[in-house]
Amino acid sequence: RRATRCVFGGPGLASFLPRPVPTMGKKKPELSKTAKKYNKKDVFALKDVFDDADADGSGEIDANELRKALNKSNLGDAADDFFKAIDTDGSKKIGFDEYLKAYYRKASPSEVKDMMLWVHPLRIEKPPTPPKLSDLQKREIKSIFVLYDLNENGSLDKKELLEALKDTGYDDDEIEEMFDDYDVNGDGEISLREFEKMLEAAYL
């Protein structure tokens, strides 16, 4: 599509950048201020043009890539001037935000930020799933638990836990502290589930 104006006031760039189409019709109340003012489809069309020019997929356009893109429309000779005009931060690379600023010259920084979020939405990463004991590991822990549950009441008292962990490198004070930490319900005994939680770090 050809535009009737050039971003920088001169002829020619219209064939490189698509023409924005004004938003028509009744505005929906849920639209943001930026979406009311600028058409999302045009911004995505600009992104497509930008991505076509971004030959190496780096997310930025260098002078050589811009020149190749403009050569398709016989504007290669103007590439250096266009590049200098768009590369406002002097980084020798054109980011899509600079591209937007060049095309939508009256757009505010917040509007450009909104348009950037249209094409690069924020990703909400899910927290990693905590590792869990395998069935085999649970069986191993249970066998240790049963071995030291001397009175076979289904739980370990402090004396039994001291016996179970005496060869693990922990001293008595540390084991007693662990007992207090993992005796979640405070009944003075460690259940199989509490024992699993105690040894989880050693297995995972």
Side-chain angles (χ1 to χ4, degrees):
R1 293 181 295 174
R2 295 186 61 85
T4 56
R5 66 177 177 85
C6 170
V7 170
F8 306 110
L13 191 59
S15 59
F16 181 51
L17 300 175
R19 179 184 179 184
V21 178
T23 303
M24 303 296 291
K26 186 178 180 180
K27 296 178 176 125
K28 297 179 181 180
E30 67 272 14
L31 290 178
S32 67
K33 290 182 180 180
T34 304
K36 291 177 181 179
K37 190 172 180 181
Y38 301 99
N39 191 301
K40 281 189 178 182
K41 289 183 179 180
D42 292 331
V43 174
F44 278 98
L46 278 172
K47 187 64 167 61
D48 288 340
V49 174
F50 182 90
D51 289 342
D52 286 342
D54 179 21
D56 62 2
S58 66
E60 295 177 312
I61 298 174
D62 60 28
N64 187 48
E65 288 172 326
L66 181 62
R67 187 175 296 106
K68 288 181 179 179
L70 291 179
N71 278 337
K72 296 177 183 178
S73 54
N74 299 317
L75 294 172
D77 292 341
D80 289 340
D81 290 336
F82 285 149
F83 190 89
K84 289 177 183 178
I86 300 175
D87 181 27
T88 54
D89 63 3
S91 65
K92 308 300 181 184
K93 298 278 188 179
I94 296 173
F96 187 59
D97 57 334
E98 292 175 305
Y99 202 70
L100 288 171
K101 290 173 187 176
Y103 197 60
Y104 296 109
R105 289 177 293 175
K106 294 183 179 180
S108 68
S110 64
E111 290 171 339
V112 171
K113 183 178 179 181
D114 285 343
M115 287 186 270
M116 287 291 290
L117 288 174
W118 292 346
V119 296
H120 296 297
L122 293 175
R123 294 181 180 178
I124 301 175
E125 296 185 3
K126 295 182 179 180
T129 303
K132 295 181 178 181
L133 292 169
S134 67
D135 290 340
L136 176 60
Q137 290 170 330
K138 287 182 178 181
R139 287 197 295 270
E140 289 177 353
I141 291 174
K142 185 176 181 179
S143 66
I144 298 172
F145 183 87
V146 171
L147 179 64
Y148 289 98
D149 180 17
L150 301 178
N151 59 7
E152 299 181 352
N153 69 340
S155 61
L156 300 179
D157 58 28
K158 193 167 293 187
K159 182 179 178 180
E160 289 170 331
L161 184 65
L162 286 166
E163 184 66 22
L165 301 181
K166 68 178 182 180
D167 295 325
T168 59
Y170 292 102
D171 60 34
D172 289 356
D173 289 339
E174 290 174 321
I175 295 173
E176 289 188 15
E177 185 177 346
M178 289 171 63
F179 186 96
D180 293 336
D181 289 342
Y182 287 93
D183 180 19
V184 179
N185 59 10
D187 63 357
E189 295 185 326
I190 296 292
S191 67
L192 175 58
R193 178 60 185 146
E194 291 168 338
F195 192 64
E196 283 182 359
K197 293 297 291 183
M198 183 183 295
L199 299 188
E200 222 171 44
Y203 276 82
L204 300 178

